[in-house]
Amino acid sequence: MSVSDSDDEGFKRRRGRRRSEKKQRPFWQELPILIVIAAVIAALMVTFVGRPYVIPSQSMETTLHGCAGCTGDRIYVQKLSYYWGDPEPGDVVVFVGPPSWNTHYQSIRSDNAVVRGVQNFFSFFGLVPPDENDLVKRVIAVGGQTVECCDTQGRVLVDGKPLDEPYARYIFPYVPGQPYGPSGGREFKPVKVPEGHLWVMGDNRNESADSRAHISDELQGTVPVDNVRGKAVFKIWPPSRIGPVRSQNAQEN
């Protein structure tokens, strides 16, 4: 055997040993790298794709559960749809409440600075809810449209056209002349939605403090599109409620 052949075989053996050593690396050495990769992917998903939210109130019954005594739905809210367009009538959206909607909001963060820092850190990865007044409602009218209530049947009108809303739940019958309020009234004056804003209402109409409840604020109850966090597309918890959250545009009926 020549010297060159011997050197070549030695090189191959050394390369084989290096490959063997790489294959035999203990899992605990790779675990930190895997955790970092998973954390980066989770952060990117939460920031750019979507995240889960908990439904805390009954304003969207029966589309979304959040009533007293029942398990609040957890929904997945995706952001992708609104990178290339604005919310449309019938979409169920999660948004941050404008100033007048936040009167009774209390921070969900701890008073302890260390604990609060940990909460904010995990919120970045979608493991803790964001510290903001996130609400979920259905889009009824968009910028440029005029919304009001009611026609003779108690229906909401958009640009003068009454809406037949299969998702809407009313506890009290329509009483002409009775303004919107806790007694079950439905009527509210016409509002022209400014461009870049939305008029939103809960599906559980008598149990929802939505755009109607804030009609006297500086935005006339409308919500800026910039406040929208995303579109609710799927119920992910509890198991008995898993399924899609469908957009239903009553303006097309």
Side-chain angles (χ1 to χ4, degrees), residues 17-73:
R17 284 197 298 270
R18 286 197 296 269
R19 288 178 178 175
S20 177
E21 289 173 358
K22 290 182 180 180
K23 291 180 181 179
Q24 295 174 5
R25 178 181 293 177
F27 176 73
W28 63 267
Q29 291 183 352
E30 297 182 350
L31 183 59
I33 299 174
L34 295 175
I35 291 175
V36 170
I37 293 173
V40 170
I41 292 174
L44 291 174
M45 290 287 290
V46 168
T47 303
F48 299 108
V49 180
R51 69 179 301 156
Y53 286 85
V54 179
I55 305 303
S57 74
Q58 57 187 345
S59 69
M60 285 295 291
E61 291 284 345
T62 58
T63 303
L64 301 175
H65 278 352
C67 58
C70 66
T71 302
D73 283 350

Short mmCIF file of all heavy atoms in Angstrom, two decimals, residues 17-73:
data_model
loop_
_atom_site.label_atom_id
_atom_site.label_comp_id
_atom_site.label_asym_id
_atom_site.label_seq_id
_atom_site.Cartn_x
_atom_site.Cartn_y
_atom_site.Cartn_z
N ARG A 17 -15.15 9.15 12.21
CA ARG A 17 -15.28 9.33 13.66
C ARG A 17 -15.98 10.65 13.98
O ARG A 17 -16.80 10.72 14.89
CB ARG A 17 -13.89 9.28 14.30
CG ARG A 17 -13.31 7.89 14.42
CD ARG A 17 -12.16 7.88 15.42
NE ARG A 17 -11.05 8.73 14.98
CZ ARG A 17 -10.04 8.29 14.23
NH1 ARG A 17 -10.01 7.02 13.83
NH2 ARG A 17 -9.06 9.11 13.89
N ARG A 18 -15.65 11.72 13.21
CA ARG A 18 -16.30 13.01 13.46
C ARG A 18 -17.80 12.92 13.21
O ARG A 18 -18.61 13.47 13.94
CB ARG A 18 -15.67 14.09 12.57
CG ARG A 18 -14.28 14.52 13.04
CD ARG A 18 -13.89 15.85 12.40
NE ARG A 18 -13.78 15.74 10.94
CZ ARG A 18 -12.66 15.43 10.31
NH1 ARG A 18 -11.56 15.19 11.00
NH2 ARG A 18 -12.64 15.38 8.99
N ARG A 19 -18.19 12.23 12.14
CA ARG A 19 -19.61 12.05 11.86
C ARG A 19 -20.29 11.27 12.97
O ARG A 19 -21.40 11.56 13.39
CB ARG A 19 -19.79 11.34 10.52
CG ARG A 19 -19.47 12.22 9.32
CD ARG A 19 -19.63 11.43 8.04
NE ARG A 19 -19.39 12.25 6.87
CZ ARG A 19 -19.37 11.78 5.63
NH1 ARG A 19 -19.56 10.47 5.41
NH2 ARG A 19 -19.13 12.59 4.60
N SER A 20 -19.60 10.26 13.47
CA SER A 20 -20.15 9.43 14.53
C SER A 20 -20.34 10.25 15.80
O SER A 20 -21.35 10.13 16.50
CB SER A 20 -19.24 8.23 14.81
OG SER A 20 -19.73 7.45 15.88
N GLU A 21 -19.33 11.11 16.07
CA GLU A 21 -19.43 11.95 17.26
C GLU A 21 -20.61 12.91 17.15
O GLU A 21 -21.32 13.17 18.12
CB GLU A 21 -18.14 12.72 17.45
CG GLU A 21 -16.97 11.84 17.90
CD GLU A 21 -15.66 12.61 17.90
OE1 GLU A 21 -15.69 13.81 17.50
OE2 GLU A 21 -14.63 12.04 18.27
N LYS A 22 -20.83 13.47 15.94
CA LYS A 22 -21.96 14.37 15.75
C LYS A 22 -23.29 13.64 15.95
O LYS A 22 -24.22 14.15 16.55
CB LYS A 22 -21.91 14.99 14.35
CG LYS A 22 -20.78 15.99 14.18
CD LYS A 22 -20.82 16.59 12.79
CE LYS A 22 -19.70 17.60 12.61
NZ LYS A 22 -19.70 18.20 11.26
N LYS A 23 -23.38 12.45 15.44
CA LYS A 23 -24.62 11.68 15.58
C LYS A 23 -24.88 11.29 17.02
O LYS A 23 -26.03 11.13 17.43
CB LYS A 23 -24.54 10.43 14.70
CG LYS A 23 -24.56 10.71 13.21
CD LYS A 23 -24.48 9.43 12.41
CE LYS A 23 -24.49 9.70 10.92
NZ LYS A 23 -24.38 8.46 10.12
N GLN A 24 -23.85 11.15 17.81
CA GLN A 24 -24.00 10.68 19.16
C GLN A 24 -24.12 11.82 20.18
O GLN A 24 -24.04 11.58 21.38
CB GLN A 24 -22.80 9.78 19.54
CG GLN A 24 -22.74 8.50 18.73
CD GLN A 24 -21.47 7.70 19.00
OE1 GLN A 24 -20.68 8.07 19.86
NE2 GLN A 24 -21.30 6.63 18.27
N ARG A 25 -24.29 13.08 19.72
CA ARG A 25 -24.42 14.21 20.64
C ARG A 25 -25.63 14.00 21.55
O ARG A 25 -26.73 13.73 21.07
CB ARG A 25 -24.58 15.52 19.88
CG ARG A 25 -24.76 16.73 20.79
CD ARG A 25 -24.94 18.00 19.99
NE ARG A 25 -23.71 18.33 19.26
CZ ARG A 25 -23.62 19.36 18.43
NH1 ARG A 25 -24.69 20.12 18.20
NH2 ARG A 25 -22.48 19.61 17.82
N PRO A 26 -25.48 14.13 22.86
CA PRO A 26 -26.60 13.92 23.79
C PRO A 26 -27.74 14.89 23.52
O PRO A 26 -27.53 16.04 23.14
CB PRO A 26 -25.97 14.19 25.17
CG PRO A 26 -24.50 13.99 24.96
CD PRO A 26 -24.22 14.43 23.56
N PHE A 27 -28.95 14.40 23.78
CA PHE A 27 -30.15 15.22 23.55
C PHE A 27 -30.14 16.48 24.40
O PHE A 27 -30.58 17.55 23.96
CB PHE A 27 -31.41 14.40 23.83
CG PHE A 27 -32.67 15.20 23.71
CD1 PHE A 27 -33.14 15.59 22.46
CD2 PHE A 27 -33.38 15.60 24.84
CE1 PHE A 27 -34.30 16.35 22.33
CE2 PHE A 27 -34.54 16.34 24.72
CZ PHE A 27 -35.00 16.71 23.47
N TRP A 28 -29.62 16.39 25.63
CA TRP A 28 -29.64 17.56 26.52
C TRP A 28 -28.79 18.69 25.98
O TRP A 28 -29.01 19.86 26.32
CB TRP A 28 -29.19 17.17 27.92
CG TRP A 28 -27.77 16.66 28.03
CD1 TRP A 28 -27.34 15.38 27.99
CD2 TRP A 28 -26.59 17.46 28.19
NE1 TRP A 28 -25.97 15.31 28.11
CE2 TRP A 28 -25.49 16.57 28.24
CE3 TRP A 28 -26.36 18.83 28.29
CZ2 TRP A 28 -24.18 17.02 28.39
CZ3 TRP A 28 -25.04 19.29 28.45
CH2 TRP A 28 -23.98 18.38 28.50
N GLN A 29 -27.82 18.38 25.12
CA GLN A 29 -27.02 19.42 24.51
C GLN A 29 -27.79 20.13 23.39
O GLN A 29 -27.55 21.31 23.10
CB GLN A 29 -25.72 18.84 23.95
CG GLN A 29 -24.74 18.37 25.02
CD GLN A 29 -23.44 17.87 24.42
OE1 GLN A 29 -23.32 17.72 23.21
NE2 GLN A 29 -22.47 17.59 25.29
N GLU A 30 -28.67 19.41 22.75
CA GLU A 30 -29.46 19.99 21.65
C GLU A 30 -30.73 20.68 22.15
O GLU A 30 -31.29 21.53 21.46
CB GLU A 30 -29.83 18.90 20.66
CG GLU A 30 -28.63 18.25 19.98
CD GLU A 30 -29.04 17.20 18.97
OE1 GLU A 30 -30.24 16.85 18.95
OE2 GLU A 30 -28.18 16.74 18.21
N LEU A 31 -31.18 20.31 23.34
CA LEU A 31 -32.45 20.83 23.85
C LEU A 31 -32.49 22.36 23.92
O LEU A 31 -33.49 22.96 23.47
CB LEU A 31 -32.75 20.22 25.22
CG LEU A 31 -34.09 20.62 25.85
CD1 LEU A 31 -35.24 20.22 24.93
CD2 LEU A 31 -34.24 19.96 27.23
N PRO A 32 -31.46 23.04 24.44
CA PRO A 32 -31.53 24.52 24.47
C PRO A 32 -31.70 25.14 23.09
O PRO A 32 -32.43 26.12 22.93
CB PRO A 32 -30.19 24.91 25.11
CG PRO A 32 -29.78 23.71 25.89
CD PRO A 32 -30.26 22.54 25.10
N ILE A 33 -31.03 24.56 22.09
CA ILE A 33 -31.15 25.08 20.73
C ILE A 33 -32.58 24.90 20.22
O ILE A 33 -33.15 25.80 19.60
CB ILE A 33 -30.14 24.37 19.79
CG1 ILE A 33 -28.71 24.62 20.27
CG2 ILE A 33 -30.32 24.84 18.36
CD1 ILE A 33 -27.66 23.84 19.49
N LEU A 34 -33.15 23.73 20.49
CA LEU A 34 -34.53 23.46 20.06
C LEU A 34 -35.51 24.41 20.73
O LEU A 34 -36.47 24.88 20.10
CB LEU A 34 -34.89 22.01 20.36
CG LEU A 34 -34.10 20.94 19.61
CD1 LEU A 34 -34.49 19.54 20.10
CD2 LEU A 34 -34.34 21.06 18.11
N ILE A 35 -35.27 24.70 22.01
CA ILE A 35 -36.16 25.61 22.74
C ILE A 35 -36.09 27.01 22.14
O ILE A 35 -37.12 27.68 21.96
CB ILE A 35 -35.78 25.64 24.24
CG1 ILE A 35 -36.12 24.29 24.89
CG2 ILE A 35 -36.52 26.77 24.96
CD1 ILE A 35 -35.69 24.18 26.34
N VAL A 36 -34.89 27.48 21.84
CA VAL A 36 -34.73 28.81 21.24
C VAL A 36 -35.42 28.88 19.88
O VAL A 36 -36.13 29.85 19.57
CB VAL A 36 -33.24 29.16 21.10
CG1 VAL A 36 -33.07 30.44 20.27
CG2 VAL A 36 -32.61 29.34 22.47
N ILE A 37 -35.25 27.84 19.07
CA ILE A 37 -35.90 27.82 17.76
C ILE A 37 -37.42 27.85 17.90
O ILE A 37 -38.11 28.60 17.19
CB ILE A 37 -35.45 26.57 16.96
CG1 ILE A 37 -33.97 26.68 16.61
CG2 ILE A 37 -36.29 26.41 15.69
CD1 ILE A 37 -33.40 25.42 15.97
N ALA A 38 -37.95 27.04 18.83
CA ALA A 38 -39.40 27.00 19.05
C ALA A 38 -39.91 28.35 19.53
O ALA A 38 -40.98 28.81 19.11
CB ALA A 38 -39.75 25.91 20.05
N ALA A 39 -39.15 29.01 20.42
CA ALA A 39 -39.56 30.32 20.94
C ALA A 39 -39.59 31.37 19.84
O ALA A 39 -40.51 32.18 19.76
CB ALA A 39 -38.62 30.74 22.07
N VAL A 40 -38.59 31.35 18.97
CA VAL A 40 -38.55 32.31 17.86
C VAL A 40 -39.72 32.09 16.91
O VAL A 40 -40.38 33.05 16.49
CB VAL A 40 -37.21 32.19 17.09
CG1 VAL A 40 -37.26 33.00 15.80
CG2 VAL A 40 -36.06 32.65 17.97
N ILE A 41 -40.02 30.83 16.61
CA ILE A 41 -41.16 30.52 15.73
C ILE A 41 -42.46 30.99 16.38
O ILE A 41 -43.32 31.59 15.72
CB ILE A 41 -41.21 29.01 15.43
CG1 ILE A 41 -40.00 28.61 14.56
CG2 ILE A 41 -42.51 28.65 14.72
CD1 ILE A 41 -39.89 27.12 14.34
N ALA A 42 -42.62 30.73 17.69
CA ALA A 42 -43.83 31.14 18.39
C ALA A 42 -43.99 32.66 18.37
O ALA A 42 -45.09 33.18 18.14
CB ALA A 42 -43.80 30.63 19.83
N ALA A 43 -42.90 33.37 18.61
CA ALA A 43 -42.95 34.83 18.60
C ALA A 43 -43.33 35.37 17.23
O ALA A 43 -44.13 36.31 17.11
CB ALA A 43 -41.60 35.40 19.05
N LEU A 44 -42.78 34.79 16.19
CA LEU A 44 -43.11 35.22 14.83
C LEU A 44 -44.57 34.93 14.50
O LEU A 44 -45.25 35.75 13.87
CB LEU A 44 -42.20 34.51 13.82
CG LEU A 44 -40.72 34.93 13.84
CD1 LEU A 44 -39.91 34.04 12.91
CD2 LEU A 44 -40.57 36.39 13.45
N MET A 45 -45.06 33.78 14.94
CA MET A 45 -46.47 33.43 14.71
C MET A 45 -47.40 34.42 15.39
O MET A 45 -48.37 34.91 14.80
CB MET A 45 -46.74 32.01 15.23
CG MET A 45 -46.08 30.91 14.42
SD MET A 45 -46.89 30.64 12.82
CE MET A 45 -48.44 29.91 13.36
N VAL A 46 -47.12 34.72 16.66
CA VAL A 46 -47.96 35.63 17.42
C VAL A 46 -47.92 37.04 16.83
O VAL A 46 -48.93 37.73 16.75
CB VAL A 46 -47.52 35.66 18.91
CG1 VAL A 46 -48.18 36.82 19.65
CG2 VAL A 46 -47.88 34.35 19.58
N THR A 47 -46.75 37.47 16.39
CA THR A 47 -46.58 38.82 15.89
C THR A 47 -47.18 39.02 14.51
O THR A 47 -47.83 40.04 14.24
CB THR A 47 -45.09 39.19 15.84
OG1 THR A 47 -44.52 39.05 17.15
CG2 THR A 47 -44.90 40.62 15.36
N PHE A 48 -47.02 38.04 13.63
CA PHE A 48 -47.40 38.25 12.24
C PHE A 48 -48.54 37.38 11.73
O PHE A 48 -49.18 37.73 10.73
CB PHE A 48 -46.17 38.01 11.34
CG PHE A 48 -45.03 38.93 11.63
CD1 PHE A 48 -43.89 38.47 12.26
CD2 PHE A 48 -45.10 40.27 11.28
CE1 PHE A 48 -42.83 39.32 12.53
CE2 PHE A 48 -44.05 41.13 11.54
CZ PHE A 48 -42.91 40.67 12.18
N VAL A 49 -48.84 36.27 12.38
CA VAL A 49 -49.85 35.34 11.86
C VAL A 49 -51.14 35.37 12.67
O VAL A 49 -52.23 35.56 12.12
CB VAL A 49 -49.29 33.90 11.81
CG1 VAL A 49 -50.34 32.94 11.26
CG2 VAL A 49 -48.04 33.85 10.93
N GLY A 50 -51.06 35.18 13.96
CA GLY A 50 -52.26 35.20 14.78
C GLY A 50 -51.99 34.63 16.16
O GLY A 50 -50.90 34.16 16.45
N ARG A 51 -53.02 34.67 17.02
CA ARG A 51 -52.87 34.17 18.38
C ARG A 51 -54.23 33.81 18.95
O ARG A 51 -55.26 34.25 18.43
CB ARG A 51 -52.20 35.22 19.28
CG ARG A 51 -53.06 36.45 19.55
CD ARG A 51 -52.34 37.44 20.45
NE ARG A 51 -51.97 36.84 21.72
CZ ARG A 51 -50.97 37.27 22.49
NH1 ARG A 51 -50.23 38.29 22.09
NH2 ARG A 51 -50.71 36.69 23.64
N PRO A 52 -54.27 33.01 20.01
CA PRO A 52 -55.55 32.68 20.66
C PRO A 52 -56.00 33.80 21.59
O PRO A 52 -55.18 34.54 22.14
CB PRO A 52 -55.22 31.41 21.44
CG PRO A 52 -53.77 31.50 21.73
CD PRO A 52 -53.15 32.23 20.58
N TYR A 53 -57.31 33.90 21.76
CA TYR A 53 -57.92 34.84 22.71
C TYR A 53 -59.02 34.11 23.48
O TYR A 53 -59.62 33.15 22.97
CB TYR A 53 -58.53 36.04 21.98
CG TYR A 53 -57.54 37.04 21.45
CD1 TYR A 53 -56.94 36.86 20.21
CD2 TYR A 53 -57.19 38.18 22.18
CE1 TYR A 53 -56.02 37.77 19.71
CE2 TYR A 53 -56.29 39.10 21.69
CZ TYR A 53 -55.71 38.90 20.46
OH TYR A 53 -54.80 39.81 19.97
N VAL A 54 -59.30 34.61 24.68
CA VAL A 54 -60.37 34.07 25.49
C VAL A 54 -61.58 35.00 25.40
O VAL A 54 -61.43 36.23 25.44
CB VAL A 54 -59.94 33.93 26.97
CG1 VAL A 54 -61.09 33.39 27.82
CG2 VAL A 54 -58.74 33.01 27.08
N ILE A 55 -62.77 34.42 25.27
CA ILE A 55 -64.00 35.22 25.24
C ILE A 55 -64.46 35.43 26.68
O ILE A 55 -64.87 34.49 27.35
CB ILE A 55 -65.10 34.52 24.42
CG1 ILE A 55 -64.59 34.20 23.02
CG2 ILE A 55 -66.35 35.39 24.36
CD1 ILE A 55 -64.11 35.39 22.26
N PRO A 56 -64.43 36.67 27.18
CA PRO A 56 -64.73 36.89 28.60
C PRO A 56 -66.17 37.30 28.90
O PRO A 56 -66.55 37.40 30.06
CB PRO A 56 -63.79 38.04 28.95
CG PRO A 56 -63.75 38.85 27.68
CD PRO A 56 -63.89 37.86 26.53
N SER A 57 -66.97 37.57 27.87
CA SER A 57 -68.32 38.08 28.12
C SER A 57 -69.34 37.38 27.23
O SER A 57 -68.99 36.65 26.31
CB SER A 57 -68.38 39.59 27.88
OG SER A 57 -68.36 39.86 26.48
N GLN A 58 -70.60 37.66 27.52
CA GLN A 58 -71.68 37.00 26.78
C GLN A 58 -72.19 37.83 25.61
O GLN A 58 -73.25 37.53 25.05
CB GLN A 58 -72.84 36.71 27.74
CG GLN A 58 -73.39 37.93 28.46
CD GLN A 58 -74.41 37.55 29.51
OE1 GLN A 58 -74.91 36.44 29.54
NE2 GLN A 58 -74.72 38.49 30.40
N SER A 59 -71.45 38.85 25.19
CA SER A 59 -71.95 39.74 24.14
C SER A 59 -72.06 39.08 22.78
O SER A 59 -72.74 39.60 21.90
CB SER A 59 -71.04 40.97 24.03
OG SER A 59 -69.78 40.62 23.52
N MET A 60 -71.40 37.93 22.58
CA MET A 60 -71.46 37.26 21.29
C MET A 60 -72.22 35.94 21.34
O MET A 60 -72.13 35.13 20.42
CB MET A 60 -70.04 37.03 20.75
CG MET A 60 -69.36 38.29 20.22
SD MET A 60 -70.17 38.98 18.77
CE MET A 60 -69.81 37.74 17.54
N GLU A 61 -72.97 35.71 22.42
CA GLU A 61 -73.80 34.51 22.46
C GLU A 61 -74.80 34.56 21.29
O GLU A 61 -75.35 35.62 20.98
CB GLU A 61 -74.59 34.46 23.78
CG GLU A 61 -73.71 34.21 25.00
CD GLU A 61 -73.27 32.77 25.11
OE1 GLU A 61 -73.87 31.93 24.43
OE2 GLU A 61 -72.33 32.50 25.87
N THR A 62 -75.11 33.50 20.64
CA THR A 62 -74.62 32.16 20.90
C THR A 62 -73.47 31.76 19.95
O THR A 62 -72.98 30.63 19.98
CB THR A 62 -75.76 31.13 20.71
OG1 THR A 62 -76.27 31.25 19.38
CG2 THR A 62 -76.87 31.38 21.70
N THR A 63 -73.04 32.73 19.14
CA THR A 63 -71.94 32.46 18.21
C THR A 63 -70.68 32.05 18.97
O THR A 63 -70.02 31.09 18.61
CB THR A 63 -71.65 33.71 17.36
OG1 THR A 63 -72.86 34.09 16.68
CG2 THR A 63 -70.57 33.43 16.34
N LEU A 64 -70.36 32.83 20.03
CA LEU A 64 -69.22 32.54 20.89
C LEU A 64 -69.69 32.51 22.33
O LEU A 64 -70.41 33.41 22.77
CB LEU A 64 -68.13 33.61 20.72
CG LEU A 64 -67.55 33.80 19.31
CD1 LEU A 64 -66.59 34.98 19.30
CD2 LEU A 64 -66.88 32.54 18.82
N HIS A 65 -69.29 31.48 23.06
CA HIS A 65 -69.68 31.36 24.47
C HIS A 65 -68.77 32.19 25.36
O HIS A 65 -67.56 32.17 25.23
CB HIS A 65 -69.63 29.90 24.92
CG HIS A 65 -70.85 29.12 24.55
ND1 HIS A 65 -71.97 29.69 24.01
CD2 HIS A 65 -71.12 27.79 24.66
CE1 HIS A 65 -72.88 28.75 23.79
NE2 HIS A 65 -72.38 27.59 24.17
N GLY A 66 -69.40 32.89 26.30
CA GLY A 66 -68.67 33.64 27.31
C GLY A 66 -69.59 33.98 28.46
O GLY A 66 -69.31 34.84 29.28
N CYS A 67 -70.73 33.26 28.51
CA CYS A 67 -71.76 33.58 29.50
C CYS A 67 -71.37 33.11 30.89
O CYS A 67 -70.50 32.26 31.06
CB CYS A 67 -73.08 32.92 29.10
SG CYS A 67 -72.98 31.13 28.93
N ALA A 68 -72.03 33.68 31.90
CA ALA A 68 -71.79 33.26 33.27
C ALA A 68 -72.20 31.81 33.44
O ALA A 68 -73.27 31.39 33.02
CB ALA A 68 -72.59 34.15 34.22
N GLY A 69 -71.31 31.02 34.04
CA GLY A 69 -71.61 29.62 34.30
C GLY A 69 -71.22 28.67 33.19
O GLY A 69 -71.37 27.47 33.32
N CYS A 70 -70.71 29.20 32.08
CA CYS A 70 -70.27 28.30 31.00
C CYS A 70 -68.78 28.50 30.76
O CYS A 70 -68.18 29.46 31.24
CB CYS A 70 -71.05 28.57 29.70
SG CYS A 70 -70.74 30.19 28.97
N THR A 71 -68.18 27.59 30.03
CA THR A 71 -66.76 27.68 29.72
C THR A 71 -66.54 28.67 28.58
O THR A 71 -67.06 28.48 27.49
CB THR A 71 -66.20 26.31 29.31
OG1 THR A 71 -66.41 25.38 30.37
CG2 THR A 71 -64.71 26.41 29.02
N GLY A 72 -65.80 29.73 28.86
CA GLY A 72 -65.55 30.73 27.83
C GLY A 72 -64.80 30.14 26.65
O GLY A 72 -63.81 29.44 26.84
N ASP A 73 -65.26 30.42 25.46
CA ASP A 73 -64.57 29.92 24.26
C ASP A 73 -63.18 30.52 24.16
O ASP A 73 -62.95 31.69 24.50
CB ASP A 73 -65.35 30.29 23.00
CG ASP A 73 -66.55 29.41 22.77
OD1 ASP A 73 -66.68 28.39 23.47
OD2 ASP A 73 -67.37 29.74 21.89
#
